[in-house]
C-alpha cells in the first residue's frame, strides 16, 4: 500500500510559532504563572496537554482585569490594541505570538485609519482575528462577509475607504465582494491580506484525494478548517474518513486500498499525524 501524506498537513507557520512559544515558556518557567489569551489552538489533545503543564486560558477582558502577575501569551489570531495596553498597564509580561501576517494587517489598519480612512474588513465579524483587527482602528470599521453585506455597505461619499481581508477568507469571494464595493465609486484602497496557507492546504488535499482510494482527514471535530478539508476531500474521494486521533481510525476501512492519502487541519499537531501514518504503514 502506498501512503501519501500532504506536505501542508497540520500547523501553518503562524500556529506552529504560537504553540512553540507556549511550550518554550512552559519549559523556562520558574514560578511564574503562564496564561494564553484565548485558547491557543482548537485542538482538545493539545489543550489538555497544555493544561497538564499548568497553562491557563484567559477567556475575557473581565478575567484579564483580575490577573495581577504572570506571563500572558497572545495567540496567532492577535488581539485588539486595548488588550495589549491593558497587559502593559497591569504590569503583566506579554509574549506576542500574533502571526506576522495578522500583525501586518494591524499595522495597515492603524496607519490607514490615522489618515482618516474608513476601515472595511472582509471576514467573519465573530472571528477572534477580525475582532483583533477591528481594535487597531481609530476610525469607524465595517465588517462584511456576504454579497448582501457588500450591496448594503454605505458611507458618506467623500470618505476614503481601506479594504483588508481576514487572512483565511476565500480569495474568489473576496474578489467578488471588492468588485461590488468598487461599483459604488468610493475612493477605495484594497489590500489583499489573505494568507495562502489555507488555500495551499486545501489544494493539496484535493489533488491527493483525487489519486487515492481512501483519504484520512485528521483534526479536531470542532475545527472548521478541518471540516472544510473533509468536505473538499469527500467530493473527490468517496472513501474519506474524518478522525481526531488514531483511536478513531478503523483499519478495516483500509483493507483493500492500494493508496491512502492523509491530510490534517491547521490545528492538528505533527505527532498525531505521524502516529496515524506510522500505524497505517505497520498494519499494511
Ligand atoms: Fe498566520 Fe496564515 Fe496561519 S495568517 S496563523 S500563517 S493561516
Amino acid at each position: 500500500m502506498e501512503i501519501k501524506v500532504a506536505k501542508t498537513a497540520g500547523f501553518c507557520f503562524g500556529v506552529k510559532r504560537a504553540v512553540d512559544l507556549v511550550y518554550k515558556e512552559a519549559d523556562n518557567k520558574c514560578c511564574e504563572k503562564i496564561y494564553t489569551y484565548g485558547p491557543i489552538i482548537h485542538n482538545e489533545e493539545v489543550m489538555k496537554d497544555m493544561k497538564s503543564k499548568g497553562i491557563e486560558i484567559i477567556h475575557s477582558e473581565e478575567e484579564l482585569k483580575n490577573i495581577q502577575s504572570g506571563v500572558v501569551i497572545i495567540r496567532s489570531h492577535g488581539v485588539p490594541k486595548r488588550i495589549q495596553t491593558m497587559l502593559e498597564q497591569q504590569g503583566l509580561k506579554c509574549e506576542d505570538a500574533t502571526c506576522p501576517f495578522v500583525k501586518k494587517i494591524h499595522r495597515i489598519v492603524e496607519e490607514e485609519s490615522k489618515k482618516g480612512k474608513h476601515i472595511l474588513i472582509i471576514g467573519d465579524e465573530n472571528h477572534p482575528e477580525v475582532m483583533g483587527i477591528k481594535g487597531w482602528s481609530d476610525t469607524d470599521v465595517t465588517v462584511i462577509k456576504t454579497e448582501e453585506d457588500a450591496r448594503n455597505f454605505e458611507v458618506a461619499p467623500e470618505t476614503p475607504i481601506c479594504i483588508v481581508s481576514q487572512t483565511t477568507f476565500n480569495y474568489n469571494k473576496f474578489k467578488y465582494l471588492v468588485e461590488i464595493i468598487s461599483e459604488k465609486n468610493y475612493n477605495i484602497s484594497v489590500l489583499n491580506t489573505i494568507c495562502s496557507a489555507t488555500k495551499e492546504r486545501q489544494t493539496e488535499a484535493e489533488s491527493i484525494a483525487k489519486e487515492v482510494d481512501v483519504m484520512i482527514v485528521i483534526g479536531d471535530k470542532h475545527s472548521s478548517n478541518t471540516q472544510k478539508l473533509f468536505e473538499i476531500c469527500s467530493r473527490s474521494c468517496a472513501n474519506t474518513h474524518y478522525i481526531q486521533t488514531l483511536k478513531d481510525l478503523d483499519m478495516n476501512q483500509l483493507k483493500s486500498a492500494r493508496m491512502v492519502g492523509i491530510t490534517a487541519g491547521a490545528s492538528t499537531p505533527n505527532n498525531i499525524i505521524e502516529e496515524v501514518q506510522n500505524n497505517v504503514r505497520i498494519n499494511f
Side-chain angles (χ1 to χ4, degrees):
M1 179 197 285
E2 197 183 327
I3 303 169
K4 279 209 150 186
V5 183
K7 290 189 193 74
T8 51
F11 291 174
C12 61
F13 150 79
V15 169
K16 181 172 185 313
R17 192 171 160 268
V19 172
D20 287 351
L21 183 69
V22 174
Y23 282 112
K24 197 175 119 214
E25 281 297 321
D27 289 345
N28 291 344
K29 85 164 178 185
C30 47
C31 40
E32 266 185 322
K33 185 99 201 109
I34 302 172
Y35 301 92
T36 63
Y37 193 78
I40 209 90
I41 54 170
H42 288 289
N43 185 286
E44 275 177 22
E45 307 294 316
V46 178
M47 294 320 293
K48 260 190 251 159
D49 187 46
M50 286 187 179
K51 198 171 172 196
S52 74
K53 291 186 166 16
I55 296 156
E56 279 182 31
I57 302 172
I58 302 171
H59 296 93
S60 64
E61 242 172 285
E62 283 308 306
E63 259 183 62
L64 176 61
K65 275 184 200 150
N66 298 323
I67 292 168
Q68 322 289 345
S69 63
V71 186
V72 178
I73 300 169
I74 297 176
R75 57 187 173 168
S76 56
H77 297 115
V79 291
K81 193 175 180 179
R82 66 170 190 285
I83 299 290
Q84 266 193 355
T85 312
M86 270 177 83
L87 292 171
E88 281 158 27
Q89 284 171 348
Q90 286 176 220
L92 297 164
K93 193 177 156 207
C94 169
E95 288 288 351
D96 190 357
T98 306
C99 175
F101 297 128
V102 177
K103 202 68 223 159
K104 187 176 144 201
I105 310 179
H106 293 176
R107 276 197 296 272
I108 293 170
V109 166
E110 197 176 23
E111 281 165 19
E112 297 300 294
S113 70
K114 280 201 168 66
K115 293 179 196 161
K117 295 190 184 179
H118 183 104
I119 304 297
L120 181 62
I121 307 170
I122 300 190
D124 178 353
E125 183 154 34
N126 300 315
H127 192 284
E129 181 194 315
V130 173
M131 296 198 252
I133 296 170
K134 261 172 110 171
W136 287 84
S137 175
D138 293 337
T139 49
D140 288 342
V141 180
T142 308
V143 183
I144 64 164
K145 188 183 175 187
T146 62
E147 178 178 344
E148 194 191 351
D149 295 342
R151 298 216 182 272
N152 292 338
F153 174 73
E154 240 181 41
V155 284
E158 65 285 358
T159 316
I161 300 164
C162 169
I163 305 180
V164 293
S165 170
Q166 183 180 339
T167 54
T168 47
F169 206 77
N170 177 285
Y171 174 66
N172 289 332
K173 197 162 171 203
F174 170 78
K175 234 173 47 183
Y176 182 54
L177 299 184
V178 168
E179 265 165 36
I180 297 173
I181 304 289
S182 307
E183 285 163 11
K184 296 176 188 267
N185 290 325
Y186 290 120
N187 170 8
I188 59 169
S189 51
V190 183
L191 291 134
N192 171 3
T193 49
I194 294 172
C195 161
S196 56
T198 311
K199 180 81 194 134
E200 281 164 13
R201 189 182 302 106
Q202 291 174 354
T203 311
E204 193 189 14
E206 186 176 23
S207 86
I208 294 179
K210 277 182 182 151
E211 280 180 68
V212 298
D213 316 294
V214 178
M215 187 73 194
I216 301 168
V217 181
I218 317 166
D220 194 275
K221 56 177 179 292
H222 301 298
S223 151
S224 60
N225 78 83
T226 313
Q227 285 163 14
K228 183 86 196 161
L229 271 184
F230 175 69
E231 241 176 75
I232 293 171
C233 292
S234 301
R235 266 184 251 137
S236 301
C237 173
N239 245 329
T240 298
H241 304 282
Y242 191 153
I243 62 168
Q244 290 209 102
T245 64
L246 179 66
K247 281 196 259 100
D248 307 323
L249 185 63
D250 178 359
M251 291 291 174
N252 290 324
Q253 289 162 331
L254 313 182
K255 260 187 187 148
S256 54
R258 282 176 302 105
M259 213 194 261
V260 173
I262 300 175
T263 189
S267 43
T268 308
N270 239 335
N271 60 321
I272 297 186
I273 306 171
E274 272 166 19
E275 196 183 15
V276 172
Q277 179 188 355
N278 292 338
N279 273 275
V280 173
R281 220 180 275 287
I282 291 165
N283 277 287
F284 299 96

